[in-house]
Amino acid sequence: TINGILFFQGLFWPNPDGKIDPGGKTFKKLVAAVELNFAPLPQSGATGYYSYASGARQWGTVKTIASLKSVAEQFAVKKPDVNIGLGDISFRLGGKMSPHSSHQNGKNVDIRPLRTDGAESPVTIDDAAYSQDDTKILVELLIADANVKSILFNDNKITGVTYYQGHHNH
């Protein structure tokens, strides 16, 4: 049991002590983990997407993960040779995820813009390899999903996105 507590504490605390004090930090994290009900983004066997962040950074609400999988599957029907790049979502227990100020509640997702060459690598809206047409299709599918509230992305020629500093590449 103590080893399990030490492992759990090591997820959020640099100096685990193996104790669970009533009302203490570990107790609160345990309660929060149960309330979060986060699910991992499947790293393999998925249709229409690839992960560009580690699995430890890709935990989301059940609704968020379902929406991502659904949008990726719909996109794969329209563009079968292109995969969507999915990055940071949240840690398993939420909490601060540098360099983000968000990504704590399992509802914020980094998604790469699409490329003209279909490569699974970064691109910005200023790169020649940026596919505005494919990214527009992706944005339309995201907007149509009831779970999506806003899209922070800096291509002002795509309807439905909101400019946000630092979002030229996701």
Side-chain angles (χ1 to χ4, degrees):
T1 303
I2 293 173
N3 285 337
I5 295 168
L6 288 168
F7 173 80
F8 179 75
Q9 289 175 330
L11 296 173
F12 59 88
W13 197 4
N15 300 310
D17 64 7
K19 300 176 186 175
I20 302 175
D21 297 320
K25 185 175 185 176
T26 302
F27 180 83
K28 290 177 182 176
K29 287 283 189 180
L30 282 167
V31 171
V34 171
E35 291 174 352
L36 288 175
N37 191 27
F38 279 2
L41 179 72
Q43 300 294 298
S44 62
T47 300
Y49 72 87
Y50 68 95
S51 296
Y52 68 90
S54 75
R57 298 175 71 91
Q58 292 191 313
W59 287 80
T61 66
V62 172
K63 283 183 176 182
T64 298
I65 299 301
S67 290
L68 290 172
K69 290 167 59 178
S70 173
V71 166
E73 289 169 2
Q74 293 172 60
F75 187 82
V77 170
K78 294 178 180 285
K79 303 295 284 188
D81 297 327
V82 180
N83 286 321
I84 300 166
L86 302 177
D88 289 344
I89 304 173
S90 288
F91 290 125
R92 169 65 185 100
L93 301 175
K96 179 85 171 114
M97 178 182 280
S98 184
H100 307 285
S101 58
S102 60
H103 292 271
Q104 296 186 37
N105 62 6
K107 297 178 182 181
N108 306 108
V109 182
D110 287 347
I111 303 175
R112 283 184 172 156
L114 284 301
R115 299 175 55 97
T116 55
D117 58 9
E120 295 180 354
S121 57
V123 68
T124 71
I125 61 174
D126 299 317
D127 292 338
Y130 168 57
S131 174
Q132 187 178 65
D133 292 338
D134 287 354
T135 303
K136 182 180 177 196
I137 293 168
L138 174 58
V139 167
E140 289 169 352
L141 291 171
L142 287 165
I143 290 170
D145 188 283
N147 197 38
V148 175
K149 304 299 179 219
S150 65
I151 300 171
L152 306 178
F153 183 57
N154 294 347
D155 185 343
N156 61 8
K157 294 179 181 151
I158 296 180
T159 303
V161 301
T162 301
Y163 182 93
Y164 196 79
Q165 185 67 34
H167 284 69
H168 278 58
N169 64 348
H170 67 289

